[in-house]
Amino acid sequence: MNPFLYTNHNKRYHTLDYFYKKKFNSKVCKISLNAGFTCPNIDGTVGTGGCIYCSSKGSGDFAGKKEDSLITQFHTVKKILDRKWKNCLYIGYFQAHTNTYAPLSILKEKYESILTIENVIGLSIATRPDAIQDDVLDYLEELSKRTYVTIELGLQTIHEKTSIFINRCHTLQCFEECVKRLRKGNINVVVHIINGLPYETKDMMIETIKYINKLDIQGIKIHMLHILKRTKLERIYQDKPFPILTKEEYVDTVCTELEYLRPEIVIHRITGDPDMNDLIEPSWLDKKLCILNDIDKELEKRKTYQGFRLNKNNLIRQILDPIIKNKDYVIDTTNTYTDLLITYVPKKNILSTPTPDMRGKITTIITSYINTNIIDSYITTLHNNGFILIVTRQKPNINLYKNYHINYYEFENQIYIIKIDKNTLNKK
């Protein structure tokens, strides 16, 4: 049984398809467009050359041909989609380059032309946080009152050293201020991040997710870094190859990121989707369906889902579910988990301290930060399948437990859990 609430199938994260069907009561498709814009990070306004991973098409490799009108681009794709989905609604996706980087009059002309098309119910506009002028922001606020508007902001990473390396040419403060301005106007915000950026660790990628999770955003796109031909990143990689995430590492990272992400945040993308004719690395990106399936399988294997790590009781329940029985005795030395524990055992079976006469009868001891001497004193009270849970707000020194086999978990809001099973308590 899938424990995740925002789903109507086996997905344990908040998919865009689920969101659209709930909001519009219909299948909704996004049609990528190339409006012929450039970028302030290309033309010299804030930088030159663009981001090192960006192709000549400005991350719009599957958008239309800029030589064609936007109407032509739209209907070319719509004809294909109409064969697959009847009575579909559409969102015009201004994807290539920076789609708010033009005078307001030009932006209005391009945006409004798409909104005149039948069954178009909104626009999704990809841009940079340093490329939305005040008059454009006012227009977007007005536009959002009459159609569904989403602004997609590239962030990629919160780490300044990486941001400089990839030539983003804007600050984290600029990004955060832009999110606040957009949300003040009640405009939906989707943030792009990239996993596997050169020299970033898994912990660094998780830090980016934790930061984003605290902002008022409505969606996220998670990409895997891909090295494309004829990009600066290709030249860097050829000159000095850096580690590329394996598929297994990427799946592991994404699943952990999802566990830290608020469940109401919609996942617009969960892997990269490069032009395979230009792809250099990683080669495993050609198996998109396999990646999606592996993410599903890993979350199911972990028995977790989007937002799981935001509540420590989720893990405690996960640990208790397969083991604790109604007749068991449990110890809660913190006196804070009664409401959780009474869903498993009678209240009379919940005690605050173990006693000698209960030797071998206790399934679970929940306690706060303790030393190994106290652990040893608790061991004899547990029955053979029993375990100790140390739940603490003080980050523990794991070296204190190096002589034991432990499971260690970190949760949001500085919550740490150590699980020690009696049957693995024999010292190494």
Side-chain angles (χ1 to χ4, degrees):
M1 183 176 178
N2 190 347
F4 187 62
L5 296 178
Y6 298 93
T7 188
N8 53 5
H9 41 56
N10 70 319
K11 299 293 184 183
R12 293 177 175 235
Y13 55 91
H14 198 153
T15 66
L16 183 60
D17 183 65
Y18 173 84
F19 171 77
Y20 281 156
K21 286 178 179 175
K22 284 291 184 180
K23 183 171 181 64
F24 299 107
N25 197 32
S26 172
K27 174 70 178 178
V28 178
C29 293
K30 292 172 67 175
I31 294 183
S32 296
L33 303 167
N34 187 336
F37 296 118
T38 183
C39 175
N41 195 17
I42 291 176
D43 68 7
T45 301
V46 298
T48 57
C51 300
I52 64 174
Y53 48 77
C54 198
S55 70
S56 61
K57 297 178 182 178
S59 296
D61 297 284
F62 296 99
K65 298 178 181 179
K66 65 180 180 181
E67 294 80 15
D68 294 338
S69 71
L70 290 173
I71 301 297
T72 298
Q73 292 180 40
F74 188 95
H75 283 291
T76 298
V77 178
K78 182 177 182 296
K79 287 180 182 178
I80 299 172
L81 296 176
D82 282 345
R83 298 190 199 114
K84 188 173 183 180
W85 291 292
K86 302 297 182 183
N87 304 315
C88 187
L89 300 178
Y90 294 96
I91 288 177
Y93 178 24
F94 286 81
Q95 182 182 24
H97 291 294
T98 304
N99 292 276
T100 57
Y101 188 53
L104 179 58
S105 59
I106 294 177
L107 297 178
K108 282 185 175 181
E109 178 187 353
K110 293 182 182 294
Y111 297 165
E112 300 287 351
S113 69
I114 299 300
L115 292 174
T116 63
I117 300 173
E118 185 180 6
N119 291 332
V120 170
I121 46 86
L123 299 176
S124 189
I125 302 167
T127 189
R128 289 169 56 90
D130 57 358
I132 305 178
Q133 301 301 319
D134 288 344
D135 60 342
V136 175
L137 182 64
D138 291 341
Y139 167 65
L140 291 173
E141 184 176 353
E142 182 273 325
L143 189 63
S144 69
K145 295 176 182 177
R146 52 189 173 91
T147 193
Y148 185 73
V149 176
T150 298
I151 296 296
E152 299 192 13
L153 292 178
L155 172 63
Q156 321 314 355
T157 179
I158 65 168
H159 302 287
E160 183 179 7
K161 186 176 180 180
T162 308
S163 186
I164 293 172
F165 182 83
I166 63 177
N167 199 42
R168 279 301 296 171
C169 293
H170 68 73
T171 64
L172 186 60
Q173 181 180 358
C174 171
F175 166 81
E176 188 168 334
E177 289 175 352
C178 182
V179 172
K180 291 177 180 178
R181 290 170 65 216
L182 290 167
R183 292 304 298 145
K184 186 176 180 181
N186 201 34
I187 300 168
N188 301 295
V189 176
V190 173
V191 178
H192 292 229
I193 66 165
I194 298 177
N195 287 333
L197 288 168
Y199 311 111
E200 285 207 350
T201 64
K202 178 182 176 181
D203 285 345
M204 293 172 71
M205 299 174 216
I206 300 304
E207 286 170 5
T208 293
I209 283 289
K210 288 181 177 181
Y211 166 83
I212 290 173
N213 201 47
K214 296 176 182 177
L215 301 180
D216 181 13
I217 67 166
Q218 288 62 58
I220 188 170
K221 284 188 173 181
I222 302 175
H223 301 265
M224 170 60 200
L225 178 72
H226 43 265
I227 303 171
L228 300 177
K229 297 175 183 176
R230 298 177 296 279
T231 62
K232 186 176 180 180
L233 185 60
E234 177 195 13
R235 297 192 295 273
I236 293 172
Y237 185 70
Q238 289 177 341
D239 182 57
K240 188 179 180 181
F242 50 84
I244 302 291
L245 292 183
T246 65
K247 179 165 70 74
E248 293 72 23
E249 289 171 330
Y250 181 76
V251 168
D252 173 68
T253 298
V254 168
C255 289
T256 304
E257 288 173 331
L258 291 173
E259 290 170 353
Y260 280 108
L261 200 63
R262 299 196 318 271
E264 67 271 18
I265 294 177
V266 180
I267 311 301
H268 287 237
R269 180 177 289 279
I270 205 165
T271 184
D273 202 10
D275 184 339
M276 300 312 299
N277 293 320
D278 289 334
L279 182 65
I280 296 173
E281 287 286 359
S283 59
W284 52 261
L285 277 175
D286 66 345
K287 296 179 175 62
K288 181 177 179 180
L289 186 59
C290 291
I291 299 167
L292 298 178
N293 288 339
D294 286 351
I295 289 171
D296 293 339
K297 290 175 183 176
E298 178 63 20
L299 287 172
E300 185 175 4
K301 178 183 176 183
R302 296 185 185 191
K303 299 182 180 179
T304 61
Y305 45 84
Q306 184 179 337
F308 181 86
R309 290 180 185 249
L310 300 182
N311 186 341
K312 66 181 183 297
N313 286 354
N314 286 335
L315 178 60
I316 295 175
R317 289 191 186 95
Q318 188 184 88
I319 294 170
L320 295 178
D321 280 344
I323 298 175
I324 196 167
K325 303 295 187 297
N326 182 262
K327 63 181 180 180
D328 292 343
Y329 288 90
V330 296
I331 304 296
D332 176 18
T333 68
T334 68
N335 294 312
T336 57
Y337 296 100
T338 299
D339 289 343
L340 186 155
L341 292 171
I342 58 176
T343 62
Y344 296 97
V345 299
K347 190 171 183 179
K348 65 183 179 62
N349 288 23
I350 304 171
L351 309 174
S352 60
T353 185
T355 57
D357 62 305
M358 303 196 69
R359 185 182 300 269
K361 299 179 181 179
I362 298 172
T363 299
T364 307
I365 298 177
I366 301 179
T367 187
S368 57
Y369 188 66
I370 58 174
N371 59 43
T372 54
N373 289 331
I374 299 177
I375 291 176
D376 290 337
S377 71
Y378 283 167
I379 291 174
T380 57
T381 63
L382 294 171
H383 70 52
N384 289 336
N385 292 323
F387 54 87
I388 299 170
L389 288 183
I390 304 172
V391 185
T392 177
R393 288 188 175 275
Q394 180 181 351
K395 188 166 186 176
N397 179 2
I398 297 302
N399 288 329
L400 292 177
Y401 308 96
K402 63 183 179 180
N403 291 325
Y404 301 97
H405 297 282
I406 67 170
N407 290 317
Y408 175 64
Y409 309 88
E410 289 190 21
F411 275 67
E412 191 66 312
N413 303 319
Q414 294 184 313
I415 295 293
Y416 309 94
I417 298 179
I418 298 173
K419 178 177 181 281
I420 307 174
D421 293 322
K422 182 174 183 178
N423 57 21
T424 62
L425 280 172
N426 295 323
K427 295 191 175 183
K428 297 179 181 178

